[in-house]
Coordinates of all heavy atoms in Angstrom, one line a residue:
M1 N -8.6 -13.4 7.2 CA -7.6 -13.2 6.2 C -6.8 -12.0 6.6 O -7.2 -11.1 7.1 CB -8.3 -12.9 4.9 CG -8.9 -14.1 4.2 SD -9.7 -13.8 2.7 CE -8.5 -12.9 1.7
A2 N -5.5 -12.1 6.3 CA -4.6 -11.0 6.6 C -3.7 -10.8 5.4 O -3.4 -11.7 4.6 CB -3.8 -11.3 7.8
K3 N -3.3 -9.6 5.2 CA -2.4 -9.3 4.1 C -1.2 -8.4 4.6 O -1.5 -7.4 5.3 CB -3.2 -8.5 3.0 CG -2.3 -8.1 1.8 CD -3.2 -7.4 0.8 CE -2.4 -7.1 -0.4 NZ -3.2 -6.4 -1.4
K4 N 0.0 -8.8 4.3 CA 1.1 -8.0 4.7 C 1.6 -7.2 3.5 O 1.8 -7.7 2.4 CB 2.2 -8.9 5.2 CG 3.3 -8.2 5.9 CD 4.5 -9.0 6.5 CE 4.3 -10.4 6.5 NZ 5.5 -11.1 7.0
T5 N 1.8 -5.9 3.7 CA 2.3 -5.1 2.6 C 3.7 -5.3 2.3 O 4.5 -5.6 3.3 CB 2.0 -3.6 2.9 OG1 2.7 -3.2 4.1 CG2 0.5 -3.3 3.0
V6 N 4.1 -5.1 1.1 CA 5.5 -5.4 0.7 C 6.4 -4.2 1.0 O 7.5 -4.3 1.4 CB 5.6 -5.7 -0.8 CG1 7.0 -5.9 -1.2 CG2 4.8 -7.0 -1.0
A7 N 5.8 -3.0 0.8 CA 6.6 -1.8 1.0 C 6.9 -1.5 2.5 O 6.1 -1.9 3.4 CB 5.8 -0.6 0.5
S8 N 8.0 -1.0 2.8 CA 8.3 -0.7 4.2 C 8.6 0.8 4.3 O 9.0 1.5 3.3 CB 9.6 -1.5 4.6 OG 10.7 -1.1 3.9
L9 N 8.4 1.3 5.5 CA 8.6 2.7 5.7 C 9.9 2.9 6.5 O 10.2 2.1 7.4 CB 7.4 3.3 6.6 CG 6.0 3.0 6.0 CD1 5.0 3.4 7.0 CD2 5.8 3.8 4.7
Q10 N 10.7 3.9 6.2 CA 11.9 4.1 6.8 C 12.0 5.5 7.4 O 11.8 6.4 6.7 CB 13.1 3.8 5.8 CG 14.4 3.6 6.4 CD 15.4 3.1 5.4 OE1 15.1 3.0 4.3 NE2 16.6 2.8 5.9
T11 N 12.4 5.5 8.7 CA 12.6 6.8 9.4 C 14.1 7.0 9.6 O 14.9 6.2 9.1 CB 11.8 6.9 10.7 OG1 12.2 5.8 11.5 CG2 10.3 6.7 10.4
K12 N 14.4 7.9 10.4 CA 15.8 8.2 10.7 C 16.7 7.0 11.1 O 17.6 6.7 10.4 CB 16.0 9.3 11.8 CG 15.4 10.7 11.3 CD 15.6 11.7 12.4 CE 15.0 13.0 12.0 NZ 15.0 14.0 13.0
S13 N 16.3 6.4 12.2 CA 17.1 5.3 12.6 C 16.4 3.9 12.7 O 16.9 2.9 12.9 CB 17.7 5.6 14.0 OG 16.7 5.7 14.9
K14 N 15.0 4.0 12.5 CA 14.2 2.8 12.6 C 13.6 2.4 11.3 O 13.3 3.2 10.5 CB 13.1 3.0 13.6 CG 13.5 3.2 15.0 CD 12.3 3.3 15.9 CE 12.8 3.4 17.4 NZ 11.6 3.5 18.3
R15 N 13.5 1.1 11.1 CA 12.8 0.6 9.9 C 11.5 0.1 10.3 O 11.4 -0.7 11.2 CB 13.7 -0.5 9.3 CG 13.2 -1.1 8.0 CD 14.2 -2.0 7.4 NE 13.7 -2.6 6.2 CZ 13.8 -2.1 5.0 NH1 14.3 -1.0 4.8 NH2 13.3 -2.8 4.0
L16 N 10.4 0.6 9.7 CA 9.1 0.2 10.1 C 8.3 -0.4 8.9 O 8.6 -0.1 7.7 CB 8.3 1.5 10.5 CG 8.9 2.3 11.7 CD1 8.2 3.6 11.9 CD2 8.9 1.4 12.9
S17 N 7.3 -1.2 9.2 CA 6.5 -1.8 8.2 C 5.0 -1.5 8.5 O 4.6 -1.3 9.6 CB 6.6 -3.3 8.2 OG 7.9 -3.7 7.8
K18 N 4.2 -1.3 7.4 CA 2.8 -1.1 7.6 C 2.1 -2.4 7.3 O 2.2 -2.9 6.2 CB 2.4 0.0 6.6 CG 0.9 0.4 6.7 CD 0.6 1.5 5.7 CE -0.8 1.9 5.9 NZ -1.1 3.0 4.9
A19 N 1.3 -2.8 8.2 CA 0.5 -4.0 8.1 C -1.0 -3.7 8.0 O -1.5 -2.9 8.7 CB 0.8 -5.0 9.2
I20 N -1.7 -4.5 7.2 CA -3.1 -4.3 7.0 C -3.8 -5.6 7.1 O -3.4 -6.6 6.5 CB -3.5 -3.7 5.6 CG1 -2.7 -2.4 5.4 CG2 -4.9 -3.5 5.4 CD1 -2.8 -1.8 4.0
K21 N -4.8 -5.7 8.0 CA -5.6 -6.9 8.1 C -7.1 -6.7 8.0 O -7.5 -5.6 8.3 CB -5.2 -7.7 9.3 CG -5.7 -7.2 10.6 CD -5.3 -8.1 11.7 CE -5.5 -7.5 13.1 NZ -5.1 -8.4 14.2
M22 N -7.8 -7.7 7.5 CA -9.2 -7.6 7.4 C -9.9 -8.2 8.6 O -9.5 -9.3 9.0 CB -9.7 -8.3 6.1 CG -10.5 -7.6 5.2 SD -10.8 -8.3 3.6 CE -11.2 -10.0 3.9
V23 N -10.8 -7.5 9.2 CA -11.5 -8.0 10.4 C -13.0 -8.0 10.1 O -13.6 -7.0 9.7 CB -11.2 -7.1 11.6 CG1 -11.9 -7.6 12.8 CG2 -9.7 -7.0 11.8
K24 N -13.6 -9.1 10.5 CA -15.1 -9.3 10.2 C -15.8 -8.8 11.5 O -15.5 -9.3 12.6 CB -15.4 -10.7 9.9 CG -16.9 -10.9 9.5 CD -17.1 -12.3 9.0 CE -18.5 -12.5 8.6 NZ -18.8 -13.9 8.1
S25 N -16.8 -8.0 11.3 CA -17.6 -7.5 12.4 C -18.6 -8.6 12.9 O -19.3 -9.1 12.0 CB -18.4 -6.2 12.0 OG -19.4 -5.9 13.0
P26 N -18.7 -8.9 14.2 CA -19.6 -9.9 14.6 C -21.1 -9.5 14.5 O -21.9 -10.3 14.3 CB -19.2 -10.2 16.1 CG -18.4 -9.0 16.5 CD -17.9 -8.4 15.2
K27 N -21.4 -8.2 14.6 CA -22.7 -7.7 14.5 C -23.3 -7.8 13.1 O -24.3 -8.4 12.8 CB -22.8 -6.3 15.0 CG -22.9 -6.1 16.5 CD -23.2 -4.7 16.8 CE -23.3 -4.5 18.3 NZ -23.5 -3.0 18.6
T28 N -22.6 -7.1 12.1 CA -23.1 -7.0 10.8 C -22.6 -8.0 9.8 O -23.2 -8.2 8.8 CB -22.9 -5.6 10.2 OG1 -21.4 -5.4 10.2 CG2 -23.4 -4.5 11.1
G29 N -21.4 -8.5 10.1 CA -20.8 -9.5 9.2 C -20.0 -8.8 8.1 O -19.4 -9.4 7.2
A30 N -19.9 -7.4 8.2 CA -19.1 -6.7 7.2 C -17.7 -6.7 7.6 O -17.3 -6.9 8.7 CB -19.6 -5.2 7.2
Y31 N -16.8 -6.6 6.6 CA -15.4 -6.6 6.8 C -14.9 -5.1 6.9 O -15.3 -4.3 6.1 CB -14.7 -7.3 5.7 CG -14.8 -8.8 5.8 CD1 -15.8 -9.5 5.0 CD2 -14.0 -9.5 6.6 CE1 -15.9 -10.8 5.1 CE2 -14.1 -10.9 6.7 CZ -15.1 -11.6 5.9 OH -15.2 -12.9 6.0
T32 N -13.9 -4.9 7.8 CA -13.2 -3.6 7.9 C -11.7 -3.9 7.8 O -11.3 -5.0 8.1 CB -13.6 -2.9 9.2 OG1 -13.2 -3.7 10.3 CG2 -15.1 -2.5 9.3
F33 N -11.0 -2.8 7.5 CA -9.6 -3.0 7.4 C -8.9 -2.2 8.5 O -9.3 -1.1 8.8 CB -9.0 -2.4 6.1 CG -9.5 -3.2 4.9 CD1 -10.6 -2.8 4.1 CD2 -8.8 -4.3 4.5 CE1 -11.0 -3.6 3.1 CE2 -9.2 -5.1 3.4 CZ -10.3 -4.7 2.7
V34 N -8.0 -2.9 9.2 CA -7.3 -2.3 10.3 C -5.8 -2.1 9.9 O -5.2 -3.1 9.5 CB -7.4 -3.2 11.6 CG1 -6.6 -2.6 12.7 CG2 -8.8 -3.4 11.9
E35 N -5.3 -0.9 10.0 CA -3.9 -0.7 9.6 C -3.1 -0.3 10.8 O -3.5 0.3 11.8 CB -3.8 0.5 8.6 CG -4.6 0.3 7.3 CD -4.5 1.5 6.4 OE1 -3.6 2.4 6.7 OE2 -5.2 1.5 5.4
S36 N -1.8 -0.7 10.8 CA -0.9 -0.4 11.8 C 0.6 -0.3 11.3 O 0.9 -1.1 10.4 CB -1.0 -1.4 12.9 OG -0.1 -1.1 14.0
V37 N 1.3 0.6 11.8 CA 2.7 0.8 11.5 C 3.6 0.3 12.7 O 3.4 0.8 13.8 CB 3.1 2.3 11.1 CG1 4.5 2.4 10.8 CG2 2.2 2.7 9.9
M38 N 4.5 -0.6 12.4 CA 5.2 -1.2 13.5 C 6.6 -1.8 13.0 O 6.9 -1.8 11.9 CB 4.4 -2.4 14.1 CG 4.2 -3.5 13.2 SD 3.0 -4.6 13.8 CE 1.5 -3.7 13.4
D39 N 7.3 -2.2 14.0 CA 8.6 -2.9 13.7 C 8.4 -4.2 12.9 O 7.4 -4.9 13.2 CB 9.3 -3.2 15.0 CG 10.7 -3.7 14.8 OD1 11.6 -2.8 14.5 OD2 10.9 -4.9 15.0
P40 N 9.2 -4.5 11.9 CA 8.9 -5.7 11.1 C 8.9 -7.0 11.9 O 8.2 -8.0 11.5 CB 10.1 -5.7 10.1 CG 10.5 -4.3 10.0 CD 10.3 -3.7 11.4
S41 N 9.6 -7.1 13.0 CA 9.6 -8.3 13.8 C 8.3 -8.5 14.5 O 8.0 -9.7 15.0 CB 10.7 -8.2 14.8 OG 10.5 -7.2 15.7
L42 N 7.4 -7.5 14.7 CA 6.2 -7.7 15.4 C 5.0 -7.9 14.5 O 3.9 -8.2 14.9 CB 5.9 -6.4 16.2 CG 7.0 -6.0 17.2 CD1 6.6 -4.6 17.8 CD2 7.1 -7.1 18.3
V43 N 5.2 -7.9 13.1 CA 4.1 -8.0 12.2 C 3.4 -9.3 12.3 O 2.2 -9.4 12.4 CB 4.6 -7.7 10.8 CG1 3.5 -8.0 9.7 CG2 5.0 -6.2 10.6
D44 N 4.1 -10.4 12.3 CA 3.5 -11.7 12.3 C 2.7 -12.0 13.6 O 1.6 -12.5 13.5 CB 4.6 -12.8 12.2 CG 5.2 -12.9 10.8 OD1 4.5 -12.5 9.8 OD2 6.3 -13.3 10.6
N45 N 3.2 -11.5 14.7 CA 2.5 -11.6 15.9 C 1.2 -10.8 15.9 O 0.1 -11.2 16.4 CB 3.4 -11.1 17.1 CG 2.8 -11.5 18.4 OD1 2.0 -12.3 18.6 ND2 3.3 -10.8 19.5
W46 N 1.2 -9.6 15.3 CA 0.0 -8.7 15.2 C -1.0 -9.3 14.3 O -2.2 -9.3 14.6 CB 0.4 -7.3 14.7 CG -0.7 -6.4 14.7 CD1 -1.3 -5.7 15.7 CD2 -1.4 -5.9 13.5 NE1 -2.3 -4.9 15.3 CE2 -2.3 -5.0 13.9 CE3 -1.2 -6.2 12.1 CZ2 -3.2 -4.4 13.0 CZ3 -2.1 -5.6 11.3 CH2 -3.0 -4.7 11.7
L47 N -0.6 -9.9 13.2 CA -1.5 -10.5 12.3 C -2.2 -11.8 12.8 O -3.3 -12.1 12.4 CB -0.8 -10.8 10.9 CG -0.4 -9.7 10.1 CD1 0.4 -10.1 8.9 CD2 -1.6 -8.9 9.6
S48 N -1.5 -12.5 13.7 CA -2.1 -13.7 14.3 C -3.1 -13.5 15.3 O -3.8 -14.4 15.7 CB -1.0 -14.6 14.8 OG -0.4 -14.0 15.9
K49 N -3.3 -12.3 15.8 CA -4.3 -12.0 16.9 C -5.7 -12.1 16.3 O -5.9 -11.7 15.2 CB -4.1 -10.6 17.4 CG -2.9 -10.5 18.3 CD -2.8 -9.1 18.9 CE -1.5 -8.9 19.7 NZ -1.4 -7.5 20.2

């Protein structure tokens, strides 16, 4: 499962988005959240990994 945040972060000349996805640990089966700040065009590619 993956969730894309609606809010975007804006710096001087670049527009950035913060993406959060849930990753299941193969050892314990517990879920952890992985966060990353990136260009909006790269979010879908990052979430599909």
Side-chain angles (χ1 to χ4, degrees):
M1 284 178 54
K3 180 179 180 181
K4 192 180 346 179
T5 58
V6 177
S8 62
L9 306 171
Q10 195 168 6
T11 60
K12 292 180 183 178
S13 63
K14 292 186 178 182
R15 186 170 172 87
L16 302 173
S17 292
K18 181 177 182 180
I20 302 170
K21 70 178 173 180
M22 231 168 50
V23 179
K24 187 174 184 179
S25 171
K27 278 187 176 179
T28 63
Y31 286 97
T32 59
F33 293 95
V34 179
E35 297 181 13
S36 182
V37 177
M38 65 193 77
D39 188 74
S41 62
L42 302 174
V43 172
D44 289 332
N45 192 18
W46 183 77
L47 289 175
S48 66
K49 287 184 187 176

